[in-house]
Amino acid sequence: MDKGTVALVTGASRGIGRGIALSFLAQGMTVHVTGRTVTDAQAAVHPQLEGSLDGLKAEAEALPGELIVHVCDHADDRQTEAAVAAALRHSGKVDILVNNAWPGYESMVEGDDYTWEQPFWEQPIWRWDAMIGVALRTSFVASRAVAPGMIARKTGLIVNISFWAAQKHHGNAIYGIAKAGTDKMSSDFAHELRPHGVTAISLYPGLVRTEAVMRNAEYFDMSNSESPQFVGLAIAALWVDPNRLEKSGKVHVTADLASEYGFVDIDGKKIVPATLGDF
């Protein structure tokens, strides 16, 4: 068990963030999480937001780690900064920051229009604001807030959840711009943090069995899908790698890390690493 490690996972009420938090808790970490959706009743109002912080709390009760919840709307920088400050007051440090908060998948269908794959000149401008003005921005704001403490201790890990859309057109142009920005941010963070012993990476999950994916499972080939916890296993394995700084500034795929570090998914399944050609 890793009871000395303190992690902060943004956007953990559902999806990948929730899985990462559960994975960390299962290993005994102290895990701070942020999210907007507190109760299942709130989530029920918006089916695309299935999952809540209360639900995460219930699951966490059976796990050895400590969960601390921070209700936070990352569209407000002050709330992001306040959540980080509260985590630091409670635990004295943040060893691992996972920038996962991502409102970009909300409202793919507006009325009767499936706007997700529209060309850039027909994209709703709110999607730019959600993916770049909120998701990309809050990754910067949260990283900016935890970096001084990591630098002072000469250790730390910042993980920015990204995807293959950074490298090829996938879905829509705004999505690609946001993910390319995420990868560039990881690269530049790593350049500036390397002299201080702090690691920053981009991490690409594969097809993850999030709530949204499972609602639409008939449209996916689920044979190589991974649990949300698998992403957390990859980050935890990287954290205990004494040579993790060598991986700083680069893009890593969850299943590649699994192959390198020798772990499998929570159901015992070995995940085949995805490549650019798979998307």
Side-chain angles (χ1 to χ4, degrees):
M1 297 299 177
D2 193 355
K3 293 185 180 298
T5 299
V6 178
L8 171 59
V9 184
T10 67
S13 54
R14 65 187 61 84
I16 290 173
R18 185 188 187 111
I20 294 169
L22 290 171
S23 183
F24 287 174
L25 289 164
Q27 297 182 58
M29 295 186 192
T30 296
V31 184
H32 294 264
V33 299
T34 68
R36 291 174 297 168
T37 309
V38 178
T39 68
D40 289 336
Q42 287 176 300
V45 176
H46 303 286
Q48 75 272 21
L49 301 184
E50 180 182 347
S52 69
L53 293 171
D54 281 354
L56 175 59
K57 286 182 187 178
E59 289 189 76
E61 289 178 359
L63 300 173
E66 179 186 10
L67 176 69
I68 303 96
V69 168
H70 305 275
V71 180
C72 178
D73 183 349
H74 287 292
D76 182 349
D77 291 346
R78 293 169 298 181
Q79 292 189 40
T80 302
E81 292 166 344
V84 174
L88 291 170
R89 283 195 304 271
H90 181 281
S91 300
K93 63 175 182 173
V94 172
D95 295 304
I96 303 171
L97 170 65
V98 183
N99 286 312
N100 171 76
W102 178 255
Y105 292 142
E106 297 171 14
S107 302
M108 288 185 174
V109 178
E110 300 180 73
D112 295 327
D113 295 329
Y114 178 60
T115 62
W116 175 255
E117 294 186 347
Q118 287 179 343
F120 75 87
W121 58 90
E122 296 179 2
Q123 282 289 321
I125 201 64
W126 71 260
R127 188 163 282 140
W128 176 281
D129 296 334
M131 292 185 181
I132 297 173
V134 177
L136 187 60
R137 182 185 177 97
T138 201
S139 296
F140 181 89
V141 172
S143 300
R144 180 177 180 270
V146 303
M150 291 180 172
I151 290 167
R153 296 192 314 280
K154 297 190 180 300
T155 186
L157 173 61
I158 297 173
V159 177
N160 296 313
I161 301 299
S162 191
F163 198 60
W164 296 100
Q167 301 184 34
K168 67 181 294 185
H169 187 278
H170 184 79
N172 62 73
I174 302 174
Y175 187 35
I177 293 166
K179 293 307 185 184
T182 297
D183 290 357
K184 176 61 173 170
M185 184 169 63
S186 297
S187 176
D188 284 3
F189 281 2
H191 178 80
E192 295 176 2
L193 290 169
R194 185 179 300 277
H196 307 285
V198 179
T199 301
I201 69 160
S202 281
L203 184 61
Y204 289 10
L207 176 60
V208 181
R209 295 189 297 275
T210 63
E211 299 88 349
V213 167
M214 296 310 294
R215 284 197 305 271
N216 298 281
E218 67 270 25
Y219 301 110
F220 297 101
D221 177 1
M222 304 295 292
S223 60
N224 193 48
S225 64
E226 58 198 54
S227 72
Q229 290 94 323
F230 186 69
V231 187
L233 292 175
I235 298 168
L238 178 61
W239 170 244
V240 298
D241 182 352
N243 299 312
R244 64 177 176 271
L245 196 60
E246 296 176 3
K247 289 183 166 55
S248 197
K250 301 173 184 176
V251 168
H252 300 279
V253 177
T254 53
D256 281 332
L257 293 179
S259 179
E260 177 178 353
Y261 292 126
F263 65 88
V264 294
D265 207 342
I266 57 172
D267 59 0
K269 180 179 173 183
K270 184 176 181 179
I271 307 298
V272 178
T275 66
L276 185 62
D278 294 324
F279 297 94

